[in-house]
Amino acid sequence: MSGPLNARGSGAGEEGLPLEPYPATAWVDRVGTVQLWSAEAEALLGHTAKEVCGTPAVELLTTRGDREAALAGRGRPEVGQSWDGILALRHRDGHEVRVALRVRPLTDREGRAGWSVSAGDARRIEREDVDRAMLRALFQQYPAPIAIMDDELRYRLLNGAAERALSHPGNELIGRHIGADTSHVDSGTIDRVLRQVRETGEPVLGLPVRGSAPSGPDRDRMWSLSAFRLTGPTDRPLGTCQTYVDITDGYRAERRLELLTKAGAGMGATLDVARTAQELADVLVPALGDVAWVALSEDVLEGDEPPKMLGPGQWNLRRIGVAPPGDDWPTGLPAVGAVPPTLPNHPLLRRIGQGETVLLPDRDSVIAAAEGHSELAPLFVPEHGHSAIAAPLFARGLVLGTVVVWRTRRPGPFGQEDADLLTEIASWAALGVDNARRYMREHRAAVALQQRLLPAATTDTPAAETVGFYVPAGGGAEIGGDWYDVIALPSFRVALVAGDVTGHGLPATATMGRLRTAVDTLADLELDPDELLTHLDDLVHQLQAEAPHQGDTVGASCLYAVYDPITCQCTLASAGHPPPVVIRPDGTVESVEISPGPMLGVGGLPFEATTFGLEPGSIVAVYTKGVIYRDDHDPDAGLRRLTDRLARFAGPGRGLDGAGHELLRSLGDAPARDDMALLLARTRAIDPGSTATWEFPADASVVAAARKAAAGQLTAWGLDEVSFTTELVVSELVTNAVRYAGGPIGMRLIRENVLVCEVNDPSNTQPRLRRARWSDEGGRGLFLIAQLTTRWGSRYTRSGKTIWTEQPLAADLGLLDLPP
């Protein structure tokens, strides 16, 4: 190849390559007559040789001044000088053409004088001059490497920057094919890119390629490669041009920003200490190093603060996150969960313990750090590890753990920029770990509070067998205000409760505790369910009055149901709570039709009680809305879903505990958006033969009859050992009813795990226990009853009140135990 693609030179083109800037030629004799006219001249001005030859050359000039100057010099070529300039010539079609001329005097063999004229389009020549000046300046002054390759990808022309980048003088590379020893970037990539450009003609602009610097410790560089094809006027490929721009600083800044962005977006979102540690390791490999691990204090893993260290040996760090994980983890290095031995009081460890990032830039520094403690090297130095950075996870003045990054495969060592980057990432990670640790501690306290506030998971009473379940929202991440309760009532009845306080967190849990306590207290008063909810609504109003000072909104739903195993009747009322579901002994499942009142705290509307029968062996499911509310936000669909699954899992003969767990698992693997509380109760009935009922008029004579009736029934039941105590209780209760309430007087004995005695009368006056003075003739009846029974109480009925007592079935109480 010749012409300007020759190194260090330029010349005439070949194959019609228009490299000569003055292609048109003519010969003018001494008198100014055109004698010769080339084809290029004809192409330039449109005049044929036949039309021009023999005519004065001045006729081609368009301006008067140019013609006069030409005529003044005619006839004296021997004294003429060479002349270059631009003149306006007349085109054959009449328009003016600015032509660059080179006029040279000459003499032929016969001594005749004349002029040799070379001409070209002035605009093109000016443009080519500018192009040559730009090309010359580009090659001489442009700081980035530029290389011209021929069609066989051999070097033809290099600028000074390219020679410096390739560490070779240009004369050593001219004619050599691009290769590993003649390129500062990956030769395979360059060869592929240049061949693609040569074949397709499509330029490649700004392609990032990895390479090396010609000298210096930091030889790992990034270059922006641009390449384009060079063609002749006939589009024949002549070669390629490639240029590089060193973008290492910008590339590294961009990578650092990307890594920081990834670290900020990918760490600490789960509020899980172990997962945050693994996320940190995953961020660092392979973006920063080849091997990384994160070790945390065992106290941090438990949610507690790490101890303020007196020495490195007290760290008790456990490796929690490693990268690369699995089989790619270096053999010999302790894996996840490993606890290193007691660490020595090494200066490097002291620096880390003081919150400083330690850089080990090369193998020598690694060896020096391990000097004197070679037995620990296999625990901390991976195979082929040649450079490392160790940074503390430092938050609120405490070292929560450490993060260590090694380079084993990539040759470039860590630098101070890498250490600064790891320090910043470790600071972010430390905040994430500390937030997760503190959340773990608070969550543990909230869970403990929630567990203490909920009743026992299982109960077993004559009325029902029950199993309760509670699942916090978010898979345990959010403690809320859902609760269930089973309250044993007198006369073997049982109350089933489910409630849901609005909101989440400790305020909701605390409110739940207050409401559950209130329900327990009101249940002791043996109020009807609708009346109990009315009193509970008043309490919520009081809590709302306190809420403005606490910044919380108080509201709740509640279902209160009472089941009587003697009548096998269940009475319930609802304050904005979903209805219970009943599974009958024959396997049929139905949702109880209720008339729910407003949520607690709304006020202004009454609550309505609903009563329905329950066969022994029926299963009652009470629950909170989290059990039926899902992403579809359709409570009716959720209730149908619950009904179908209860029919599948809680049929006859199935255990309540297993049925409840299967039911909750079937609701989906994704963490629930709301708390879930579920209470399953399998009802029982008391044998009618274990109950005896009488009615007496309000007459003093009936006291003896009542005592006789009770004694006879106890004899029939084989309970003569408690007959004496029971007769005393019956005598006192019936005497009080006759004296203070009037008739009719009802009496009922119920035998189960204890003996219950009930006396009801039409009075609404509650009995009151008091200590009688020595001079009082009465007032000792209830005091005696309290001493003779394990517990006693009174409840209102729609037609009066009922006083009840409970006694053990063994004669443990007697007159000898009575106070004097």
Side-chain angles (χ1 to χ4, degrees):
M1 181 177 287
S2 60
L5 295 188
N6 290 325
R8 310 299 187 190
S10 62
E14 61 181 10
E15 300 179 358
L17 197 63
L19 299 180
E20 171 57 52
Y22 297 89
T25 58
W27 180 64
V28 180
D29 62 17
R30 62 180 295 168
V31 297
T33 301
V34 178
Q35 298 297 331
L36 292 176
W37 189 258
S38 69
E40 289 79 6
E42 179 179 347
L44 180 62
L45 295 176
H47 302 286
T48 64
K50 184 178 181 179
E51 294 172 341
V52 175
C53 290
T55 64
V58 296
E59 293 183 0
L60 295 173
L61 301 174
T62 59
T63 65
R64 180 177 178 182
D66 290 343
R67 287 196 298 270
E68 292 176 351
L71 290 174
R74 184 174 61 182
R76 303 200 316 274
E78 66 279 1
V79 297
Q81 300 293 325
S82 298
W83 180 83
D84 293 345
I86 298 176
L87 296 176
L89 301 184
R90 176 174 51 83
H91 195 274
R92 187 173 185 274
D93 61 10
H95 73 273
E96 181 180 280
V97 179
R98 295 179 69 251
V99 178
L101 299 174
R102 285 182 176 177
V103 180
R104 301 292 183 267
L106 53 81
T107 302
D108 61 13
R109 294 177 181 178
E110 298 178 357
R112 293 178 295 178
W115 289 271
S116 172
V117 180
S118 299
D121 190 331
R123 292 176 301 176
R124 176 182 172 186
I125 291 173
E126 291 172 347
R127 184 169 62 249
E128 290 179 353
D129 288 343
V130 172
D131 292 344
R132 288 191 184 91
M134 290 180 60
L135 183 60
R136 184 164 51 252
L138 186 65
F139 263 73
Q140 293 176 355
Q141 303 176 28
Y142 191 60
I146 301 176
I148 304 296
M149 322 296 293
D150 66 14
D151 200 36
E152 298 300 326
L153 303 185
R154 295 172 296 193
Y155 288 106
R156 302 300 298 175
L157 193 61
L158 301 167
N159 70 344
E163 294 180 359
R164 291 189 295 272
L166 296 173
S167 300
H168 288 286
N171 54 8
E172 293 184 7
L173 294 176
I174 299 303
R176 295 181 62 181
H177 190 278
I178 187 170
D181 60 339
T182 62
S183 176
H184 58 302
V185 295
D186 179 43
S187 58
T189 300
I190 296 302
D191 184 80
R192 176 180 55 82
V193 170
L194 293 181
R195 291 183 184 277
Q196 174 185 331
V197 171
R198 182 188 64 183
E199 298 300 329
T200 65
E202 294 292 331
V204 172
L205 303 176
L207 175 67
V209 293
R210 190 176 298 275
S212 60
S215 62
D218 187 8
R219 298 180 58 84
D220 190 13
R221 313 293 292 177
M222 286 299 299
W223 303 85
S224 175
L225 167 65
S226 296
F228 51 91
R229 187 170 68 179
L230 302 175
T231 60
T234 59
D235 290 333
R236 176 181 178 273
L238 301 178
T240 57
C241 175
Q242 57 175 323
T243 181
Y244 302 87
V245 176
D246 189 342
I247 59 170
T248 303
D249 292 340
Y251 177 82
R252 289 177 177 173
E254 184 178 352
R255 296 288 84 77
R256 285 195 296 270
L257 181 60
E258 288 181 359
L259 188 57
L260 289 173
T261 302
K262 181 180 179 182
M267 293 189 310
T270 60
L271 289 177
D272 182 271
V273 172
R275 186 166 179 179
T276 301
Q278 185 59 51
E279 289 168 349
L280 172 57
D282 293 337
V283 164
L284 298 175
V285 176
L288 187 61
D290 303 312
V291 176
W293 67 78
V294 180
L296 299 177
S297 167
E298 292 188 340
D299 293 303
V300 172
L301 297 175
E302 296 297 326
D304 299 323
E305 287 190 350
K308 296 187 182 297
M309 296 172 294
L310 301 178
Q314 300 179 2
W315 280 11
N316 295 324
L317 300 180
R318 184 183 295 274
R319 279 186 192 175
I320 300 303
V322 299
D327 295 338
D328 295 330
W329 180 248
T331 304
L333 277 184
V336 173
V339 179
T342 301
L343 301 178
N345 191 15
H346 194 282
L348 184 145
L349 297 178
R350 288 200 301 269
R351 291 167 58 189
I352 297 175
Q354 293 169 1
E356 180 181 347
T357 298
V358 175
L359 171 63
L360 302 177
D362 49 41
R363 187 72 179 178
D364 293 338
S365 61
V366 173
I367 296 174
E371 184 176 0
H373 305 284
S374 57
E375 73 282 359
L376 296 177
L379 302 178
F380 297 96
V381 182
E383 186 179 6
H384 307 303
H386 62 84
S387 183
I389 315 175
L393 297 178
F394 198 71
R396 298 188 303 107
L398 299 172
V399 177
L400 309 177
T402 61
V403 54
V404 181
V405 188
W406 280 91
R407 283 186 177 171
T408 58
R409 293 189 299 270
R410 66 183 75 184
F414 286 119
Q416 188 58 46
E417 289 184 355
D418 299 315
D420 294 340
L421 177 61
L422 181 61
T423 301
E424 187 169 357
I425 294 176
S427 297
W428 288 6
L431 292 176
V433 169
D434 193 51
N435 287 338
R437 177 196 65 79
R438 298 171 72 180
Y439 170 77
M440 181 188 302
R441 182 185 62 189
E442 298 299 327
H443 179 259
R444 186 173 57 189
V447 169
L449 175 62
Q450 183 83 18
Q451 292 174 345
R452 296 296 186 274
L453 291 176
L454 289 175
T458 61
T459 65
D460 194 350
T461 66
E465 167 199 3
T466 67
V467 178
F469 306 88
Y470 174 76
V471 180
E478 298 181 30
I479 299 299
D482 289 20
W483 89 93
Y484 63 87
D485 206 350
V486 180
I487 305 173
L489 299 176
S491 304
F492 304 107
R493 294 169 302 141
V494 64
L496 307 177
V497 187
D500 184 0
V501 176
T502 57
H504 292 90
L506 287 177
T509 302
T511 301
M512 178 270 286
R514 297 179 70 174
L515 293 183
R516 179 173 177 251
T517 302
V519 172
D520 287 347
T521 303
L522 293 172
D524 282 343
L525 299 178
E526 301 189 67
L527 303 174
D528 289 339
D530 52 342
E531 187 178 356
L532 183 143
L533 292 182
T534 299
H535 287 286
L536 195 62
D537 183 59
D538 293 338
L539 172 62
V540 174
H541 277 290
Q542 297 177 19
L543 297 179
Q544 288 176 343
E546 301 173 3
H549 305 288
Q550 303 173 358
D552 298 319
T553 300
V554 179
S557 66
C558 184
L559 177 77
Y560 184 81
V562 175
Y563 170 68
D564 188 338
I566 298 175
T567 63
C568 294
Q569 295 285 315
C570 182
T571 302
L572 61 85
S574 169
H577 205 82
V581 176
V582 175
I583 305 98
R584 303 287 180 179
D586 60 3
T588 59
V589 183
E590 62 181 354
S591 173
V592 179
E593 294 289 338
I594 62 174
S595 299
M599 290 187 64
L600 300 175
V602 174
L605 295 174
F607 299 100
E608 184 175 338
T610 300
T611 301
F612 60 96
L614 283 174
E615 303 91 337
S618 299
I619 297 177
V620 181
V622 295
Y623 51 90
T624 57
K625 66 178 184 299
V627 176
I628 60 174
Y629 277 50
R630 282 297 177 266
D631 292 336
D632 54 12
H633 301 288
D634 186 348
D636 294 333
L639 184 57
R640 289 192 298 269
R641 185 165 51 242
L642 174 62
T643 302
D644 294 341
R645 291 175 183 177
L646 281 172
R648 187 192 319 165
F649 300 131
R654 299 294 300 272
L656 295 183
D657 186 72
H661 281 103
E662 289 187 31
L663 172 63
L664 294 176
R665 278 195 299 268
S666 71
L667 295 178
D669 297 329
R673 294 186 177 183
D674 197 5
D675 304 45
M676 293 189 295
L678 173 67
L679 177 63
L680 300 179
R682 179 177 276 119
T683 61
R684 294 166 175 164
I686 293 180
D687 184 2
S690 296
T691 304
T693 305
W694 300 270
E695 185 173 301
F696 305 100
D699 189 282
S701 63
V702 303
V703 175
R707 295 179 61 175
K708 181 178 180 180
Q713 186 61 56
L714 293 176
T715 300
W717 284 341
L719 298 176
D720 289 330
E721 66 272 15
V722 297
S723 179
F724 179 73
T725 305
T726 305
E727 288 184 46
L728 287 178
V729 171
V730 168
S731 177
E732 292 294 337
L733 293 180
V734 173
T735 298
N736 285 343
V738 171
R739 181 176 299 175
Y740 301 111
I745 300 170
M747 184 177 74
R748 183 169 69 170
L749 294 179
I750 309 170
R751 178 192 63 177
E752 239 302 328
N753 56 349
V754 295
L755 178 66
V756 174
C757 177
E758 296 179 344
V759 173
N760 55 70
D761 58 56
S763 172
N764 289 325
T765 302
Q766 283 282 3
R768 183 169 58 88
L769 179 65
R770 64 185 181 89
R771 181 178 293 273
R773 292 172 295 184
W774 69 271
S775 59
D776 291 342
E777 296 183 0
R780 296 177 177 85
L782 289 181
F783 181 76
L784 287 174
I785 290 174
Q787 300 301 314
L788 293 172
T789 61
T790 54
R791 65 173 184 155
W792 71 278
S794 175
R795 65 175 177 270
Y796 287 111
T797 64
R798 296 188 181 277
S799 59
K801 68 176 182 295
T802 297
I803 302 176
W804 55 268
T805 65
E806 285 185 6
Q807 299 170 247
L809 295 182
D812 295 332
L813 296 175
L815 292 177
L816 294 179
D817 299 323
L818 296 177

